[in-house]
């Protein structure tokens, strides 16, 4: 079955430590996205990538980094510069539709990151 | 920039009854997409329904339908014959149309509880 796999489901970070969240999709989607969700908030875009080896900052990119070396994979690193990383992180992907517009995004199951 | 407002933080409905969730948005764009996503306790984001702004006909998907009022910038979701499995957070989201469009702007969500 095609889908988006995020791992791990739960992750703990120590002070000053970088951690990487994995996102893999086998939907052959061109575009991939990372969102952060805080309690009582909607989702906020961290980074997105529309093609391999290219990515763009979203609304809250500070303290995060990404790479897109393969179409299937879009890992997110939460760096020590992100002072409030505790949140639920969702990865999504979408195909490129007609006229280059992106189609509805499909989401993974998420990773919950907490500070030790 | 676009904004999406969901004015009902929480709602409840009796099983088998009908409930309507409200969403308003603000944009200067003429072409765009609107979505309703459902996030059950499992935290996975599931696409419920989508509407293209250029279509006057309201979208329907089984028990889910929307009331799209473009002039009023309103996009409400009606759930008919509510089921226990409909208990979830519901997010309204906006996306510009056109080449390179990528970003979903989310509202803060409405928590819906279906009561047996």
């Amino acid at each position: 079955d095609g889908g988006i796999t995020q791992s791990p489901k739960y992750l703990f970070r120590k002070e000053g430590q970088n951690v990487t969240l994995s996102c893999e999709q086998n939907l052959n989607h061109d575009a991939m996205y990372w969102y952060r969700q805080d309690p009582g908030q909607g989702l906020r875009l961290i980074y997105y990538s529309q093609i391999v080896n290219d990515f763009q900052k979203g609304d809250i990119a500070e303290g995060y980094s990404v790479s897109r070396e393969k179409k299937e994979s879009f890992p997110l690193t939460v760096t020590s510069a992100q002072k409030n990383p505790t949140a639920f992180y969702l990865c999504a992907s979408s195909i490129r539709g007609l006229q280059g517009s992106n189609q509805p995004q499909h989401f993974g199951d998420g990773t919950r990151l907490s500070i030790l | 920039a676009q904004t999406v407002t969901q004015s009902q933080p929480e709602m409840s409905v009796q099983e088998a009854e009908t409930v309507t969730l409200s969403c308003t948005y603000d944009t200067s764009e003429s072409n765009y997409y609107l979505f309703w996503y459902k996030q059950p306790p499992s935290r996975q984001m599931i696409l419920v329904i989508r509407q293209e702004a250029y279509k006057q006909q309201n979208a329907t998907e089984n028990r889910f339908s929307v009331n799209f009022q473009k002039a009023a910038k309103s996009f409400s979701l009606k759930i008919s014959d509510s089921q226990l499995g409909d208990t979830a957070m519901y997010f309204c989201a906006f996306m510009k149309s056109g080449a390179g469009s990528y970003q979903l702007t989310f509202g803060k969500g409405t928590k819906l509880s279906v009561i047996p």
Side-chain angles (χ1 to χ4, degrees), chain B residues 37-56:
Chain B
Y37 279 90
K38 167 184 176 181
Q39 189 179 41
S42 64
R43 304 302 298 271
Q44 185 181 21
M45 294 286 283
I46 302 165
L47 178 66
V48 175
I49 199 165
R50 96 179 217 176
Q51 174 82 41
E52 287 94 340
Y54 65 88
K55 288 187 178 179
Q56 293 185 335

Side-chain angles (χ1 to χ4, degrees), chain A residues 37 59 102 104-105 112, chain B residues 37 39 43 50 101-103:
Chain A
Q37 185 178 24
D59 297 325
N102 288 329
Q105 295 176 17
R112 178 167 296 283
Chain B
Y37 279 90
Q39 189 179 41
R43 304 302 298 271
R50 96 179 217 176
S101 298
Y102 57 88
Q103 183 165 353

Side-chain angles (χ1 to χ4, degrees), chain A residues 3 19 22 25 27 57:
Chain A
V19 292
S22 171
Q25 54 99 358
L27 300 167
K57 293 181 179 180

